[in-house]
Amino acid sequence: MAGLRLLLVSTPVGPLGSGLGGGVELTLLNLGQELLRRGHGVTVLAPAGSVLGDIPVVGLIGELQPTAHTQGRNTPITLPKQSVLGQMWDYARQHQGEFDLIVNFAYDWLPFYLTPFFQTPVAHFVTMGSLSEAMDGAVQRVAAQFPGRLGAYTRTQAETFGCGEAFAILSSAIDLEAYQFCPTPGNALAWLGRISPEKALEDALAAAEVAQVPLKILGKLEDEAYWQTLCQRFPQAEASYLGFLPTQELQAVVGQCRALVMTPRWVEAFGNVAIEALACGVPVIAYDRGGPSEIVQSGTTGWLVPPDDVVALTDAMQRLETLNRSACRHQAETDYSLPALGERFEAWFGQCLSSPSPGGDGIGTIATWAPYPSP
Ligand code: UDP
């Protein structure tokens, strides 16, 4: 399948390149590049100020959306004044005739709600697990009304929505050439990610303190108050915060580490940082929950330990010598290459375009619009 005209609509929580979008920023970059290489036309729609390698981005001005993980499960849907999310979907509506398929990467209610109102098919790549009742309802309605139009990173993530079978499981990938294999690490461990409570950096700090190993921390400082609390709680930890680094610098630091530690408190949808570490030959110690549990081959390319168990985490930090760094790189090459990602997405796009659409104009389809599932 070649030559599709694709509109990829980014997250409205921050410009691409800011780090506020988390792993979806890297996914969009890698996927966009691979789709271009395969001969598709790619246009990315994103908040103004976005940069996505060489991929052309249409930037729209507007107020950013709050991130879903900072809202409660029962918080009503919010749309700020002059919402960039609204602007992006207005643009998508006005320009839909120029595209064969619109792919939504925003974890927001509005694009799901708008799906039946578009003539051009809208598919949704869902980038987090279930976080809100309102979003669950919107996702379930698309699952019922537009079979095949939902994609997710992992099976565990998809299942949090109560309609896991409706999702195409698309995994993730990285540009392997951008990551150098490092056979001879130093003594430190790495922790990568947005510094925000759902990532539970405190568990990695507590374990590193007990195991007496240095911890290098890299990532977007999303929640400053939380970070300050951690600095006060773990004054003894030999930890250094190196900032939010571009991929080239990130991989140079991570490659030198003995392992990556992943401590998400939530059901991590995937964990792009896990495959970035593997590509450098760095094993991954992670809680056995969410995306990492589908990535790490425990005993070979890392250790999966019981979720939220800091003692088990500490113990795993002291059992790294049996893990094989070449096997880590090999797993990244086998399971997470860009061509494989491109094939999976193309197959999904084919499914989205061939599945019958219940109607064209939104007004006419309201009567057949699936009801919300009963609570
Ligand atoms: N990242 C980065 N620089 C850093 C630390 C992290 O660019 O210094 C990126 C990393 O490459 C990854 C993203 O931040 O793509 C984190 O994504 P992940 O899927 O691990 O978690 P999410 O933030 O989506 O929950």
Side-chain angles (χ1 to χ4, degrees), residues 271-284:
N272 273 324
V273 296
I275 60 174
E276 295 183 272
L278 291 176
C280 300
V282 176
V284 180

Side-chain angles (χ1 to χ4, degrees), residues 19 21-27 127-128 153 179 192-194 198-199 218-220 243-247 250 262 266 268 270-274 276:
V24 71
E25 297 189 18
L26 190 68
T27 298
T127 57
M128 292 188 276
Y153 280 117
Y179 299 81
L192 307 181
R194 290 176 295 103
E198 73 279 5
K199 298 285 186 174
L218 285 73
K220 184 78 186 173
F244 177 69
L245 302 185
T247 299
L250 172 144
M262 290 184 76
W266 68 353
E268 183 84 30
F270 186 78
N272 273 324
V273 296
E276 295 183 272

Side-chain angles (χ1 to χ4, degrees), residues 181-203:
F181 174 66
C182 173
T184 49
N187 192 33
L189 303 179
W191 187 97
L192 307 181
R194 290 176 295 103
I195 300 179
S196 179
E198 73 279 5
K199 298 285 186 174
L201 172 56
E202 61 272 25
D203 288 11

Side-chain angles (χ1 to χ4, degrees), residues 96 114-122 144-147 149 352 355-370:
Q96 60 180 308
L114 290 177
T115 305
F117 296 90
F118 274 70
Q119 276 93 42
T120 297
V122 180
Q145 189 81 359
F146 298 93
R149 298 263 196 99
C352 294
S355 61
S357 182
D361 69 7
I363 311 284
T365 59
I366 285 178
T368 59
W369 185 216

Side-chain angles (χ1 to χ4, degrees), residues 2 5 14 37 49 94 96 136 217 219 225 319 329 348 350 356 360:
R5 297 166 306 159
R37 197 186 67 77
Q94 288 178 36
Q96 60 180 308
D136 284 9
I217 302 166
R319 285 188 293 129
R329 173 74 194 188
W348 179 47

